[in-house]
Amino acid sequence: MFSYRHAFHAGSHADILKHLVLTHLVEYLQEKPGALTIVDTHAGAGVYSLIDGFATVSKEADEGIYRLEKFAKTNTLSSGIANYLECIRAENGADDITIYPGSPFILARLLRPQDRLKLFELHPKEIDILRHNVSELKQAKQIDVYAEDSFARLKGLMPPPSRRGLVLIDPSYEDKQDYRYLETALEEALQRFATGCYAIWYPALSRREAAALPDRMKKIATAHQRSWLHTELRVENAPKERRLQASGMFIINPPWTLEKQLAESLPMLVKALGQDGGAGFVLKRFEV
């Protein structure tokens, strides 16, 4: 598990889908004045350079955020994509995107004074970088950083004091046990806080555990009588999975506005990021 460094994938198409959904969830939940507690279970380093380090090895941003930024210059964007890009540009200068904010920085910038953000990271190098990066933020006092197993700790954080919460669960899944740990943690959290909003990111792979994950999430949501939304973005359909070709988000207790926003944004992302005729998207919703 300690081999994974998110910097290799910063600004990829998977990040774009995850953060597009995430920004809308926060925007919706902040329409009410009550305090919001946000948990990011696998925070990484928080923010990443796209012009040096690991990101220049994989160059996934070239087919992700840079491709979307080029598309944005000549096309009218959906409000969701425009809001997402505003969050990315806020970390950069006026001209170029050289920094990509991970979920912790996107969430931190969106915090209101009454909100709290809880970040978990176990990687021994990433946690030190994360702590340093968070300490530089003006919102640092609203953010708690834990070098602990988020799967084990999540239940204890539920329900948040305000009874209003958003949980982002986005492990690397390099350890196949993550699929099982995810299910257990989600079940326990829903038992304590059934009305919370849970956003689960996953890589859409041919691996058995990955292919079964959406259906497993649907069963859990149905067992707890919770509404859900499932979406995937595929940018290519090459014969071999030499790199990640698709990823998905599964949201339990989604806001009613999310489906409409994604219905507008996903076709644009396919047009902007699609690399072959296999590009496309999935968008399904179930209401209890």
Side-chain angles (χ1 to χ4, degrees), residues 132-254:
H132 170 76
N133 288 339
V134 167
S135 71
E136 300 290 310
L137 292 170
K138 67 176 183 180
Q139 302 92 344
K141 292 184 178 180
Q142 296 173 250
I143 304 172
D144 300 313
V145 180
Y146 304 94
E148 299 180 39
D149 180 359
S150 59
F151 287 136
R153 279 293 311 275
L154 184 59
K155 178 177 68 172
L157 296 175
M158 301 292 118
S162 65
R163 302 278 171 163
R164 303 187 67 248
L166 167 62
V167 180
L168 172 64
I169 305 177
D170 58 340
S172 69
Y173 299 98
E174 288 199 340
D175 182 349
K176 291 184 180 181
Q177 296 295 335
D178 281 348
Y179 294 93
R180 181 170 60 85
Y181 297 150
L182 163 60
E183 290 186 34
T184 300
L186 185 60
E187 286 270 17
E188 293 175 343
L190 282 167
Q191 289 170 6
R192 295 176 64 98
F193 186 40
T195 58
C197 183
Y198 298 87
I200 298 99
W201 174 86
Y202 65 93
L205 302 169
S206 58
R207 177 193 292 178
R208 178 175 56 85
E209 297 88 349
L213 184 62
D215 285 338
R216 297 293 300 162
M217 295 296 98
K218 291 172 187 176
K219 289 180 180 179
I220 291 173
T222 301
H224 289 269
Q225 298 184 312
R226 298 288 102 194
S227 300
W228 54 261
L229 184 146
H230 173 218
T231 186
E232 284 188 6
L233 173 66
R234 176 168 291 278
V235 299
E236 64 177 324
N237 195 27
K240 294 184 179 180
E241 290 179 342
R242 62 190 184 282
R243 57 176 178 261
L244 185 64
Q245 301 175 23
S247 67
M249 292 289 288
F250 192 93
I251 299 91
I252 296 178
N253 296 320

Side-chain angles (χ1 to χ4, degrees), residues 78-94:
S78 68
S79 61
I81 295 177
N83 290 342
Y84 156 73
L85 283 176
E86 186 177 336
C87 290
I88 306 306
R89 291 169 181 151
E91 295 294 333
N92 292 272

Side-chain angles (χ1 to χ4, degrees), residues 88-109:
I88 306 306
R89 291 169 181 151
E91 295 294 333
N92 292 272
D95 299 326
D96 300 314
I97 293 178
T98 60
I99 297 293
Y100 191 86
S103 304
F105 264 51
I106 290 176
L107 293 168
R109 301 294 192 189

Side-chain angles (χ1 to χ4, degrees), residues 9-17 19-20 48-51 55 59-73 77 81-90 92 96-101 106 235 269 272-273 275:
H9 312 291
S12 66
H13 62 84
D15 266 355
I16 291 172
L17 177 64
H19 296 149
L20 175 73
Y48 308 95
S49 170
L50 297 180
I51 58 174
K59 298 185 181 299
E60 291 189 23
D62 290 354
E63 301 301 324
I65 188 62
Y66 288 138
R67 196 161 174 165
L68 181 59
E69 178 74 352
K70 182 179 179 181
F71 177 86
K73 292 178 180 178
L77 303 176
I81 295 177
N83 290 342
Y84 156 73
L85 283 176
E86 186 177 336
C87 290
I88 306 306
R89 291 169 181 151
N92 292 272
D96 300 314
I97 293 178
T98 60
I99 297 293
Y100 191 86
I106 290 176
V235 299
L269 291 184
L273 306 178
Q275 298 182 33

